[in-house]
Amino acid sequence: MAVTIVIGGFFGDEGKGKIVSHLVREDSPSIVARGGVGPNAGHTVKVDGEEFGTRLTPSGFFDEECRLLVGAGTLIDPEVMNQEIEKLDIEDRIGIDKRCGIIEQKHINRDKKDSRLSDEIETTGTGCGPANEDRVARKLKQAKDIPKLKKYLTDVPKEINNAIKNNKDILVEGAQGFGLSLIYGTYPYVTSKDTGASQAACDVGIGPTKIDEVLIVFKAYPTRVGAGPFPTEMTEEEAQEHGVEEYGTVTGRPRRVGKWMKDWAEYAVMVNGATQAAITCIDKYDQRCRGITDYQELTEKAKKFIEKKEREMGVPVTLISTGPRNDETIDLRKEKL
């Protein structure tokens, strides 16, 4: 049994929702817990041909036996949370830590009215930054202060650590990407807290000695929404030639597209102590790979790309996404771990 943390290695939008949903289908963990900043990051999951974009709910929502938890380090927008609970019909399976910070309308207003945040940094406008400011200033409401969240409240660290004692599988889902970390990312073009594996563990209340695997997710072609450095960025024409025109899950804004960032990928693996990596969108690197589920059937071009990244990063690539559907995945964990 294992405790696994899944985080993004570039600037978000790496396909973490797809990877987490695959792990849930294959491993049936007892708990999927969400860390991260808050509703400023969307995870996309395809279930039976239907696409869901969630902003706070863990990506294991489709497994009816799975307990879904939102860690204390995560900010909650009660309106967004309640909409997702109703839409996904997870009222009996969701637990929200009583210490989650609460985003209020005033935080959203400040986020949108601050010209530096909205125009220069190009934040999502979801109120996360101003809410975290109030959290640091010790004047932020918590989930326990919101009556309509009362029935979902729990102590997430207690639940998770009790499950660990009972040898249950736990999956911790981070959000954003390591390039957006407040501490290690492309400051000041970052989010309002750290986005690494250590922070994800802290968000849900798991000590470092209890983590078994850190799975870092990279995209064959990194993308970025909003302003900030992107040294390998392609022109719009180049991106279209590679078939990688994309839009953000939360903002709907076009994603900037670039080529693989070798030095950054190696650095992200090092700082996060990654034990394995996933590479998504290999079908956009080579369209002939679309839908393949057997590694040996990948093109030589794709195999050379993946094997080179393994050598550079020093960790095995255990999961390869060959398309948006959950079954369009190559899982090499049994062979490589």
Side-chain angles (χ1 to χ4, degrees), residues 56-57 76-91 94 96 102 146-152:
L56 288 168
T57 304
I76 296 287
D77 180 327
E79 294 303 318
V80 172
M81 189 78 259
N82 279 297
Q83 286 171 10
E84 292 188 1
I85 290 171
E86 183 177 348
K87 181 179 180 180
L88 300 172
D89 192 21
I90 54 172
E91 185 172 290
I94 187 78
I96 299 169
I102 294 298
I146 308 301
K148 60 183 173 182
L149 295 178
K150 185 177 180 181
K151 58 185 173 183
Y152 308 123

Side-chain angles (χ1 to χ4, degrees), residues 301-333:
K301 177 184 176 183
K303 287 179 186 176
K304 286 180 181 178
F305 177 86
I306 292 163
E307 289 162 10
K308 182 180 180 183
K309 303 317 170 195
E310 282 189 318
R311 292 193 299 270
E312 291 171 354
M313 296 187 294
V315 294
V317 174
T318 57
L319 293 165
I320 304 160
S321 176
T322 61
R325 294 205 322 262
N326 193 269
D327 60 347
E328 295 176 320
T329 307
I330 299 172
D331 192 332
L332 302 172
R333 290 177 295 159

Side-chain angles (χ1 to χ4, degrees), residues 82-280:
N82 279 297
Q83 286 171 10
E84 292 188 1
I85 290 171
E86 183 177 348
K87 181 179 180 180
L88 300 172
D89 192 21
I90 54 172
E91 185 172 290
D92 295 333
R93 295 187 290 120
I94 187 78
I96 299 169
D97 194 277
K98 57 189 177 184
R99 293 154 292 201
C100 285
I102 294 298
I103 296 173
E104 299 179 77
Q105 187 60 46
K106 65 181 180 181
H107 299 122
I108 296 172
N109 294 342
R110 276 162 52 191
D111 208 0
K112 292 179 177 178
K113 288 179 181 178
D114 187 322
S115 60
R116 181 172 178 272
L117 288 176
S118 60
D119 299 335
E120 183 181 340
I121 306 297
E122 296 186 14
T123 67
T124 60
T126 51
C128 292
N132 272 330
E133 287 181 32
D134 281 359
R135 178 177 244 171
V136 172
R138 284 76 157 181
K139 55 183 182 181
L140 187 68
K141 286 184 179 179
Q142 294 184 312
K144 63 186 179 184
D145 303 316
I146 308 301
K148 60 183 173 182
L149 295 178
K150 185 177 180 181
K151 58 185 173 183
Y152 308 123
L153 297 184
T154 187
D155 187 314
V156 167
K158 279 188 177 180
E159 280 205 43
I160 291 179
N161 283 277
N162 283 337
I164 292 172
K165 285 181 182 178
N166 290 310
N167 295 317
K168 304 292 186 181
D169 279 340
I170 311 295
L171 198 53
V172 180
E173 181 179 15
Q176 285 92 12
F178 193 57
L180 299 179
S181 165
L182 178 65
I183 300 171
Y184 296 106
T186 54
Y187 188 89
Y189 302 96
V190 293
T191 191
S192 54
K193 62 183 278 192
D194 182 36
T195 55
S198 299
Q199 182 65 57
C202 177
D203 285 345
V204 301
I206 303 177
T209 58
K210 295 179 180 178
I211 306 302
D212 299 295
E213 298 284 346
V214 175
L215 172 60
I216 191 165
V217 184
F218 295 105
K219 215 174 192 175
Y221 286 113
T223 57
R224 180 167 195 163
V225 173
F230 196 172
T232 64
E233 185 172 5
M234 294 188 278
T235 64
E236 191 174 321
E237 292 73 22
E238 286 178 299
Q240 288 174 349
E241 285 176 13
H242 289 90
V244 282
E245 186 177 37
E246 298 185 22
Y247 299 89
T249 304
V250 173
T251 64
R253 294 182 296 191
R255 291 172 179 161
R256 300 158 61 194
V257 181
K259 297 177 183 177
W260 184 272
M261 298 188 296
K262 174 181 178 294
D263 291 345
W264 180 256
E266 294 174 24
Y267 191 77
V269 165
M270 177 189 74
V271 175
N272 287 286
T275 58
Q276 53 182 303
I279 294 181
T280 63

